[in-house]
Amino acid sequence: MDYVKAFLVGGIICGLVQILLDKTKMLPGRVMVTLVVTGTILGFLGLYEPFAKWAGAGATVPLLGFGNTLWKGVKEGLQSEGLLGVFKGGFTSSAAGICGALIFGYFGSLVFKPKMKA
């Protein structure tokens, strides 16, 4: 049942984002930034963690979850290192995800030979 819940929640998030892309003039990059900022704000307000526990990977894998991860890192960094932790904490908490995205993106570009759109 956890898999079904994660699939449905992740699908609903992606569906809402697709509607946002189709019905507004927002570019994909701005939509992605909006998702990360929304996840950060929901984490700050304490709303994202209970939602993520209930929804599982359906809530933690999309960009909303990345924003929440950044917030948790900043919060932990602030508590342990003070003001310097505000700048360092987000990078520390999300380093594995960012490295994975870079590495897999690079390998994907080797396999699929990307081209610029005309």
Side-chain angles (χ1 to χ4, degrees):
M1 199 61 193
D2 289 339
Y3 294 120
V4 173
K5 193 185 319 179
F7 177 77
L8 290 175
V9 170
I12 289 170
I13 291 170
C14 292
L16 292 172
V17 169
Q18 189 62 49
I19 291 169
L20 185 65
L21 284 167
D22 291 344
K23 298 294 181 186
T24 67
K25 292 183 180 183
M26 289 179 72
L27 298 173
R30 290 188 179 175
V31 172
M32 290 171 46
V33 169
T34 301
L35 288 170
V36 172
V37 170
T38 302
T40 304
I41 291 170
L42 291 174
F44 172 76
L45 295 174
L47 301 174
Y48 201 81
E49 203 61 37
F51 173 63
K53 285 182 182 174
W54 176 79
T60 58
V61 172
L63 285 172
L64 290 169
F66 179 67
N68 185 51
T69 300
L70 288 174
W71 161 248
K72 287 192 296 189
V74 167
K75 183 172 123 181
E76 291 170 10
L78 181 62
Q79 291 171 349
S80 65
E81 298 182 37
L83 186 60
L84 182 61
V86 171
F87 301 105
K88 192 171 132 181
F91 292 118
T92 303
S93 68
S94 60
I98 293 170
C99 288
L102 289 172
I103 290 169
F104 290 121
Y106 175 72
F107 286 136
S109 72
L110 293 176
V111 171
F112 295 106
K113 305 288 185 217
K115 299 176 190 145
M116 296 298 288
K117 289 186 176 183

